[in-house]
Amino acid sequence: MNTTVSILFYIKRAKANNAGVCPIYTRITVRAKRFEFSTNKYINPEKWSTEGAKVKGSNEETRTINSHLDYLKNQVLEAEKKLFKKDINITAENLKNELFGLSENARMLVPIFQDHNNKIKELVGKEYAPGTLERYTTSLKHTIEFMEWKYSICDIDITKIDHAFITDYEFWLRSIRNCANNTAVKYIKNFNKIIKICLANDWLDKNPFANYKSKVREVERVYLSEEEIQSIIEKDFKTERLSLVRDIFLFSCFTGLAYIDVKNLTKSHISFGIDGEKWIFTHRQKTEAASKIPILPVTQMIIDKYSNNPQCLNEYKLLPILSNQKMNAYLKEIAGVCGIEKELTFHIARHTFATTVTLTNGVPIESVSKMLGHKNLRTTQHYAKVLDRKVSEDMKVLREKFLFSNNEIKKVKIN
């Protein structure tokens, strides 16, 4: 336990009774925040040792009071141990609730949130990605910081969370934390999941999110054009690391697979599809959705190039992929060398596959969605953009159907 709990016994001279006897109080301090309560014991100020924080002397009264003070001290330390075992943040408020049994009558937000995060932690690599745990860990941190800013508390009874709490939390995210709209909405969405857990367990009588509305603003997704893809393909890189990063990035451009899904690929993920050609059969780590992608010639060339790579053979991987951080760092270098004025990241390859490689070349959005492993078309629409060129080509076909002769035009009635 890194948190220091300070226990002090002192007499309140201001509350001395008519006989001049003062009550003995207990002051508990945790992280510069304190609470205090009466010990229900009284003593003559002359018999009190300020330095020793106990009663002076050795008579029966002295032994009885000092024994009671030792008992209270042990109770506080025991409450601290219980919080630690429950993995509850040790704060003055939580310690007070544990000490006086308030935690048994009230369900506090932070322990519920922490329990949710602990369960995700146990399932990382099975049902959740590490990024999901990091996102909810940050969400809990922000929630605690907001409560300290707004209410000067580290935790709150979930029944006290109302519409005002949520709107104030959103305001804090946008103003104090300076979060952009979509980032603020995502943190509120994470918080909403915890509230849904409380509702599902009948811990809340009403939903504080009932009248709350937020909207994610559409972000202009960056993707590469055919010319930019070609410039990367044709560029002769002098260093092996840039050549490797270029190849893996292009692999993603022509498969639509995210970084982690490319990293997890093995030769066993390649098999023959319904058309007798080679396909990639995998499941997205993020959503566990199936992703089935026909292998294009460029993709096959990259697979063949690294088929005998020592790292691939040792780790039984399809490609010798670097860390995501290194990939993104080297991609910025590649963009500079190729004269691409876009902030190149690995995830741009996925958008490029959806927009430039498939949709622009006439692949229906339903097929694009299936290859990307999306569960609905709305998600695909965030990735894929219908370009003006594609609109022009589609309308050209329609225009040719309406090329009537003059006589035919006269027959057409327009209401």
Side-chain angles (χ1 to χ4, degrees):
M1 292 181 287
N2 297 324
T3 305
T4 301
V5 176
S6 173
I7 307 169
L8 174 68
F9 296 106
Y10 70 101
I11 58 172
K12 276 199 173 183
R13 299 178 185 273
K15 289 193 174 185
N17 60 20
N18 293 332
V21 177
C22 301
I24 303 174
Y25 267 69
T26 310
R27 177 182 293 160
I28 312 296
T29 306
V30 184
R31 295 177 182 171
K33 293 191 177 182
R34 64 175 67 165
F35 69 91
E36 51 189 44
F37 57 91
S38 174
T39 65
N40 293 320
K41 298 294 181 181
Y42 295 79
I43 194 68
N44 188 310
E46 295 178 358
K47 296 182 179 180
W48 181 254
S49 170
T50 304
E51 294 77 18
K54 62 181 182 179
V55 181
K56 295 182 287 187
S58 58
N59 58 29
E60 185 65 27
E61 180 190 35
T62 299
R63 289 196 297 272
T64 300
I65 294 176
N66 285 340
S67 177
H68 182 68
L69 298 183
D70 288 338
Y71 169 77
L72 290 177
K73 183 176 181 180
N74 288 333
Q75 288 292 96
V76 173
L77 295 176
E78 189 63 28
E80 181 188 17
K81 287 180 183 178
K82 287 181 180 179
L83 289 177
F84 180 78
K85 288 179 180 179
K86 293 177 183 178
D87 199 20
I88 297 175
N89 193 24
I90 299 174
T91 64
E93 185 174 12
N94 288 343
L95 188 60
K96 180 180 179 181
N97 289 336
E98 185 66 36
L99 186 62
F100 294 109
L102 299 177
S103 56
E104 296 176 3
N105 300 321
R107 294 191 184 274
M108 307 303 287
L109 172 65
V110 172
I112 296 170
F113 209 139
Q114 186 62 59
D115 179 64
H116 165 270
N117 291 2
N118 290 342
K119 288 175 179 175
I120 288 182
K121 185 177 181 181
E122 291 298 318
L123 295 174
V124 167
K126 299 175 183 176
E127 295 184 19
Y128 298 100
T132 304
L133 174 61
E134 182 180 353
R135 181 159 49 90
Y136 277 104
T137 301
T138 304
S139 293
L140 174 56
K141 177 175 173 287
H142 284 344
T143 304
I144 294 173
E145 289 177 356
F146 159 70
M147 290 189 293
E148 290 176 340
W149 173 79
K150 179 66 180 179
Y151 306 105
S152 299
I153 58 175
C154 297
D155 204 353
I156 189 172
D157 185 334
I158 58 172
T159 60
K160 295 180 181 178
I161 298 173
D162 54 13
H163 180 79
F165 182 99
I166 297 165
T167 53
D168 287 340
Y169 186 14
E170 182 184 10
F171 171 79
W172 179 83
L173 287 168
R174 294 176 184 275
S175 59
I176 306 301
R177 289 296 310 174
N178 198 30
C179 292
N181 176 80
N182 290 1
T183 304
V185 170
K186 285 179 182 178
Y187 281 128
I188 294 294
K189 185 179 179 182
N190 293 341
F191 182 72
N192 190 17
K193 184 184 177 184
I194 307 303
I195 296 300
K196 286 179 178 178
I197 291 173
C198 296
L199 289 167
N201 285 284
D202 293 325
W203 297 337
L204 289 176
D205 294 328
K206 60 179 182 178
N207 185 1
F209 276 89
N211 297 314
Y212 173 81
K213 289 185 179 180
S214 62
K215 188 175 182 180
V216 176
R217 293 173 188 164
E218 186 176 350
V219 178
E220 189 66 32
R221 304 289 182 178
V222 178
Y223 56 86
L224 297 184
S225 65
E226 288 185 5
E227 293 74 20
E228 289 168 331
I229 296 173
Q230 196 61 39
S231 68
I232 294 176
I233 292 175
E234 294 175 354
K235 188 67 180 179
D236 181 23
F237 292 103
K238 303 301 180 183
T239 60
E240 185 178 338
R241 62 179 174 84
L242 290 184
S243 180
L244 170 64
V245 172
R246 182 266 310 276
D247 291 343
I248 297 175
F249 177 76
L250 289 173
F251 180 89
S252 183
C253 284
F254 287 94
T255 61
L257 290 171
Y259 167 82
I260 190 63
D261 299 319
V262 175
K263 184 179 180 181
N264 291 336
L265 284 180
T266 66
K267 292 180 180 179
S268 63
H269 288 109
I270 298 178
S271 186
F272 289 97
I274 194 172
D275 55 1
E277 300 291 339
K278 286 184 178 180
W279 287 39
I280 293 173
F281 294 87
T282 185
H283 283 78
R284 294 196 61 208
Q285 179 172 299
K286 183 177 180 180
T287 62
E288 295 187 349
S291 188
K292 303 174 184 178
I293 311 150
I295 295 177
L296 298 172
V298 175
T299 312
Q300 187 61 55
M301 286 174 61
I302 296 171
I303 293 172
D304 293 340
K305 181 176 179 180
Y306 295 97
S307 60
N308 293 317
N309 181 275
Q311 183 181 336
C312 294
L313 295 174
N314 291 334
E315 299 177 3
Y316 194 61
K317 295 291 184 181
L318 192 66
L319 296 170
I321 192 168
L322 305 177
S323 70
N324 198 20
Q325 290 80 2
K326 287 185 178 180
M327 291 288 292
N328 286 330
Y330 294 151
L331 281 171
K332 287 177 175 57
E333 193 173 339
I334 288 173
V337 172
C338 295
I340 298 173
E341 296 181 357
K342 292 174 182 175
E343 190 174 348
L344 207 56
T345 64
F346 195 88
H347 202 67
I348 286 177
R350 190 163 161 83
H351 294 288
T352 301
F353 173 80
T355 300
T356 309
V357 175
T358 56
L359 200 64
T360 304
N361 288 298
V363 179
I365 194 168
E366 292 82 3
S367 296
V368 176
S369 183
K370 188 168 179 121
M371 288 187 284
L372 290 174
H374 289 160
K375 294 181 179 179
N376 58 69
L377 287 179
R378 287 187 62 186
T379 307
T380 311
Q381 288 166 347
H382 289 304
Y383 276 82
K385 298 294 179 185
V386 178
L387 304 183
D388 289 345
R389 192 184 104 189
K390 181 67 171 61
V391 173
S392 175
E393 291 173 354
D394 291 342
M395 290 303 291
K396 183 179 180 181
V397 175
L398 183 62
R399 188 179 292 112
E400 290 174 354
K401 291 182 180 180
F402 283 92
L403 288 177
F404 301 111
S405 64
N406 289 335
N407 291 331
E408 290 174 321
I409 292 176
K410 292 177 183 179
K411 297 176 183 177
V412 176
K413 292 184 178 180
I414 302 176
N415 295 326

